[in-house]
Amino acid sequence: MTDQEGDWNFYLRILSNSARDSTDPASDPSVLQSVKKLYGFCKLEKSDDLVARIYPQINKVFQRSVASLSQSDSATAKGLLLLAILQFFLDFGDMVLHDADPSLSTFFRSCLSREFSDTAVAEATCEFLIANRRKLLASFPNLLPQFFPLLLKLIAWNWEKLEKSFLKIFPGLISPGSFLPLFPSILDLPMLVVALEKVERSSGSGSRVGGSIASIQKSAAPEMLLALMDEAYTGSTIADGGDDSESEDNNTIDIADPLFLELLKDENDGLAERHRPSPALNAALQAAASGPRSERMKQTLKIAPRLLDVYFSVTLRDANDSLICALIPLLMTRNSTMFPDKIFSHEIRRRLLEFVLAAFQRSPSFIALLKKPIIDRLGEAYDDPSKTELALQLCWAIGEYGGGGESQKEAARELFESLELLLYENLSSSRLGLRQESGSGSRRTTQSRLLCFVVTAIAKLATYHRELLPRARVALGKVVRSRISDARVWKRAHDYLGLMNEPGICWSVLGPSRISEKQFPGTVNWSEGGRKMVAHIPFHILSEQGGPPFHDFAFSDVIPKN
């Protein structure tokens, strides 16, 4: 027997003895060392026979370790041992016909769900996922997407130490099955931290957060079932219980709250819509936003925008049109529903609006396909500032892409009617006190800005679809004749009316920025401006018959230079 053969036989006997022993394998440090040594021997020898001799004992240790998880006091050692065995399964499973998928799922469900708050286990898990990410994505593409809620809990609890590691793992969480549910989960990361810290306070310092969550989920299951039956038959909800829905901590979430339980789930259930918020949850969020914040919460408020950047980048690169089209209405809904922190909300909304415009630029036909949710958002333009900003961007997209394209006549007509309605409501209604002589300056500015966008969208939409020109002239004419219009709005409407009398110039200025086959006499091809002289453009059509032009741009701004 060679020295090397004697070494691996020694370590194999340790595993064999551990498999027969009644004690927890993780309680003996030599077991983990033996697994690592045997793995190294297999890597070095590359022998099928050696792997075949070692595999049965390692598999027994794995099964016994999993069976004793709930009773184990050596949680950190148990997690590290299971990860070492999983590495053996991944690298040598093919030699012994071992499917590693059930073993990986067992680790996530039984171990990581309880030990994600353990720093050593969390770090080792991230290192394991990074080292094997190509193999996992190729052989087990649904593993990370299935357990993305658990991995988000891991990073929400350990971001400071695992920031760089998790950003490498995160793209692997995105798949067709997790694409839609992952988006609200990213936005709800601060809410997840509120829930986790609530569990930490209620469970005491002597227990793991993950173990406490498992107990809550187990104990709440019968209560949740009864509550759902009660809601189905009586219409009452869990939150209707009054004072009983809150714990002894002021403004905290009750463990029976369905959204609380959903935030703490471990696996992807495929549902993108959350339960409707409860009064207890809203109170807890307001308290978390207005009161002192933990370092974990401060970090989380920075995490979500960064993860959203990666999510949107991967989406625009890899996602198909049907998934993106399904995401946009969800994004519009969540634009006004998020954790009530000013900086966090601003950063998230900026990214949401940028993504919406990027998606419409990629596929203008989305505007026609999503006309119903777009029309609904235009109707909410004055509900709050976040909805106003979304309406502004939607108005711009409608005009810029012609309501979905030159072929989308019916959708363009419906969108045009919504813009008309929004315009007329602003001109005739004083419901917000936005007349020139009354109302706050900020509200007048908001109304004027929105009207400028609406007027431009109407003019551009009518330029794409000339059957709408008569109605556009009527609408813009009412703006020009209105005494309550802001001067900037009046000037813009006046200019567009003049442009509409010259189809070629109108198409050049208000038509599509993309190359189009449609041309009119007098159309200016701006892409050729660097090679041809363009002179005598009839700005007199804007009713400026004499004197210098009043427009605030130069030809050098719109004609590219060589």
Side-chain angles (χ1 to χ4, degrees), residues 425-439:
E425 283 181 346
N426 277 273
L427 293 178
S428 62
S429 173
S430 58
R431 64 177 185 174
L432 294 177
L434 291 173
R435 291 181 181 274
Q436 194 75 17
E437 66 271 14
S438 65

Side-chain angles (χ1 to χ4, degrees), residues 212-233:
S212 300
I213 292 173
S215 300
I216 291 172
Q217 291 169 335
K218 184 177 180 180
S219 62
E223 182 180 349
M224 286 297 301
L225 179 59
L226 292 174
L228 291 173
M229 292 173 63
D230 185 58
E231 181 176 357
Y233 285 103

Side-chain angles (χ1 to χ4, degrees), residues 245-285:
S245 65
E246 295 191 12
S247 70
E248 58 185 8
D249 296 328
N250 187 31
N251 288 334
T252 55
I253 315 171
D254 183 21
I255 62 171
D257 191 300
L259 183 53
F260 176 83
L261 295 174
E262 187 173 349
L263 286 169
L264 296 176
K265 67 184 180 183
D266 294 326
E267 297 186 47
N268 172 25
D269 54 16
L271 300 177
E273 294 293 337
R274 298 284 193 193
H275 289 285
R276 56 181 178 272
S278 66
L281 177 65
N282 291 334
L285 293 180

Side-chain angles (χ1 to χ4, degrees), residues 175-241:
S175 74
S178 66
F179 178 74
L180 292 178
L182 181 57
F183 169 70
S185 295
I186 297 172
L187 265 60
D188 290 341
L189 271 177
M191 297 170 61
L192 174 60
V193 171
V194 171
L196 290 173
E197 292 182 341
K198 157 66 178 175
V199 174
E200 183 184 38
R201 289 193 300 270
S202 62
S203 62
S205 59
S207 59
R208 297 281 187 190
V209 174
S212 300
I213 292 173
S215 300
I216 291 172
Q217 291 169 335
K218 184 177 180 180
S219 62
E223 182 180 349
M224 286 297 301
L225 179 59
L226 292 174
L228 291 173
M229 292 173 63
D230 185 58
E231 181 176 357
Y233 285 103
T234 67
S236 64
T237 62
I238 296 168
D240 293 338

Side-chain angles (χ1 to χ4, degrees), residues 496-515:
Y496 292 154
L497 279 174
L499 277 174
M500 288 178 182
N501 294 325
E502 295 287 341
I505 302 299
C506 187
W507 184 260
S508 302
V509 176
L510 299 177
S513 55
R514 298 184 177 187
I515 298 176

